[in-house]
Amino acid sequence: MDIGKALKQERLRLNLSQSQMAGNVLTKSFYSKVERNLCSIRANDLLSILDLHNIDYSSFFKKLKSENSNQNELSETECNNLLHSAYYKNDYSKILKLQELLAQKDTSKLNLNSINAQIIIIKAAISNTLDKIPENKKEYIKRAIFETNNWTESSLRLFAISMFIFNTDDINSILKAFLNNIQDINSISKNKQKMFSAILINYLNYSLNHTNIVIKDNVYQSIGRLKSLRVDPKNCFAKIMANYYQYVLNGDVAKSQNILNFLKANGMSEIV
């Protein structure tokens, strides 16, 4: 909080007018400008006003310190933006920028385990060394995924991008945890829906090549979650893919092929 806001907060707490707050220290006009951050107040004048109204120095300056700390606070949104850009654009510079910010800024409110786990995965993805991630780092990533039941966009992204470095048992158990904790996909934010949908589609694609070792209940629940998405243009692809995997499971070759043809005709041949 800046000085002007802090003074205004104290004035309102004391139920004083600007003229009363300024007392004989400042003119009402000048004091008004201080509150609006149009003018700076001298240190001696500030202390005089605090003394005039018996405002505790320590508590007042703690407010200012708190604001400065917040300005130095690294937000989850900023981290997510850098991670997203690094992963989807193969931009290693974004990882370096994030690591620099993590070293410089206040990270007390961040889930550092999840962020660092994503950095490990994205670095490996950019350098095409996903298959060379050491076992101890894989364990670290798994712990980061399982350390909370309150799945954030960050933790969902972590599993989405790291899914295929794990063995089938790990994939099945992690997905089951997600399904158990996100019963209603429409109850989570749009960004979380997007990440969760990507996880489910990846899992369904994985299941086609591992039919004997995936958990069938996970497969059917994944399809059900995708099909339950609200009718919304942003959910079209996920709902189409849910139908595709449903047709494949039911052995309906004609309908599944129709969907593949539709996707190819609309420039999505790379994903089919």
Side-chain angles (χ1 to χ4, degrees), residues 227-240:
K227 294 185 79 168
S228 71
L229 282 163
R230 291 191 182 95
V231 177
D232 184 302
K234 292 182 179 179
N235 295 331
C236 281
F237 177 73
K239 293 176 78 69
I240 288 171

Side-chain angles (χ1 to χ4, degrees), residues 100-111:
E100 180 183 337
L101 291 173
L102 289 170
Q104 294 175 349
K105 292 200 169 189
D106 176 11
T107 60
S108 59
K109 294 184 180 179
L110 296 176
N111 183 339

Side-chain angles (χ1 to χ4, degrees), residues 5-258:
K5 287 182 180 178
L7 283 170
K8 182 177 181 179
Q9 188 179 87
E10 289 297 324
R11 177 174 65 80
L12 294 175
R13 181 181 66 82
L14 295 168
N15 197 27
L16 299 175
S17 67
Q18 288 187 335
S19 180
Q20 289 171 321
M21 188 69 170
N24 60 358
V25 180
L26 300 172
T27 65
K28 188 258 184 186
S29 175
F30 187 87
Y31 175 81
S32 175
K33 291 178 181 178
V34 171
E35 276 198 357
R36 290 178 288 151
N37 288 315
L38 299 178
C39 290
S40 298
I41 185 172
R42 293 185 304 176
N44 286 342
D45 290 338
L46 174 60
L47 295 178
S48 294
I49 288 177
L50 297 181
D51 286 336
L52 178 64
H53 301 292
N54 296 314
I55 297 170
D56 180 69
Y57 288 179
S58 177
S59 61
F60 183 84
F61 288 109
K62 190 178 291 184
K63 293 179 183 179
L64 306 184
K65 184 178 179 181
S66 174
E67 176 70 12
N68 289 334
S69 296
N70 289 338
Q71 289 176 352
N72 191 46
E73 188 176 282
L74 184 59
S75 71
E76 184 176 353
T77 299
E78 191 172 2
C79 291
N80 284 338
N81 288 341
L82 287 168
L83 289 166
H84 185 277
S85 182
Y87 183 70
Y88 289 103
K89 296 181 180 179
N90 284 329
D91 190 345
Y92 196 80
S93 68
K94 294 295 189 294
I95 291 295
L96 296 178
K97 176 64 176 176
L98 177 56
Q99 289 179 314
E100 180 183 337
L101 291 173
L102 289 170
Q104 294 175 349
K105 292 200 169 189
D106 176 11
T107 60
S108 59
K109 294 184 180 179
L110 296 176
N111 183 339
L112 291 178
N113 285 339
S114 178
I115 290 170
N116 287 325
Q118 289 181 75
I119 288 174
I120 292 170
I121 289 289
I122 294 171
K123 277 184 173 181
I126 292 174
S127 60
N128 292 316
T129 56
L130 283 170
D131 58 335
K132 294 182 174 60
I133 294 177
E135 287 301 319
N136 65 322
K137 289 190 175 181
K138 288 183 182 180
E139 287 300 317
Y140 178 83
I141 293 166
K142 276 194 285 187
R143 288 197 300 272
I145 292 171
F146 278 118
E147 70 181 357
T148 178
N149 287 327
N150 180 26
W151 307 111
T152 63
E153 182 184 345
S154 182
S155 57
L156 288 169
R157 181 191 294 107
L158 174 57
F159 183 50
I161 66 178
S162 67
M163 181 184 294
F164 301 119
I165 71 169
F166 299 120
N167 61 43
T168 304
D169 288 340
D170 288 334
I171 292 173
N172 282 328
S173 61
I174 295 171
L175 187 80
K176 189 172 183 63
F178 278 125
L179 289 168
N180 287 339
N181 282 277
I182 305 177
Q183 297 285 335
D184 180 6
I185 194 170
N186 293 303
S187 68
I188 58 180
S189 70
K190 295 288 186 182
N191 284 339
K192 287 184 181 180
Q193 282 183 30
K194 181 180 177 181
M195 297 310 305
F196 192 38
S197 296
I199 288 170
L200 298 179
I201 291 170
N202 285 346
Y203 181 77
L204 290 169
N205 186 60
Y206 179 84
S207 71
L208 293 183
N209 300 313
H210 301 81
T211 54
N212 296 327
I213 49 180
V214 295
I215 298 176
K216 288 187 178 180
D217 186 53
N218 281 355
V219 172
Y220 290 118
Q221 283 199 56
S222 296
I223 291 173
R225 293 289 199 285
L226 292 172
K227 294 185 79 168
S228 71
L229 282 163
R230 291 191 182 95
V231 177
D232 184 302
K234 292 182 179 179
N235 295 331
C236 281
F237 177 73
K239 293 176 78 69
I240 288 171
M241 294 309 295
N243 284 325
Y244 168 73
Y245 291 113
Q246 181 75 69
Y247 294 145
V248 171
L249 283 174
N250 292 342
D252 195 328
V253 177
K255 287 185 177 179
S256 60
Q257 189 59 49
N258 283 341

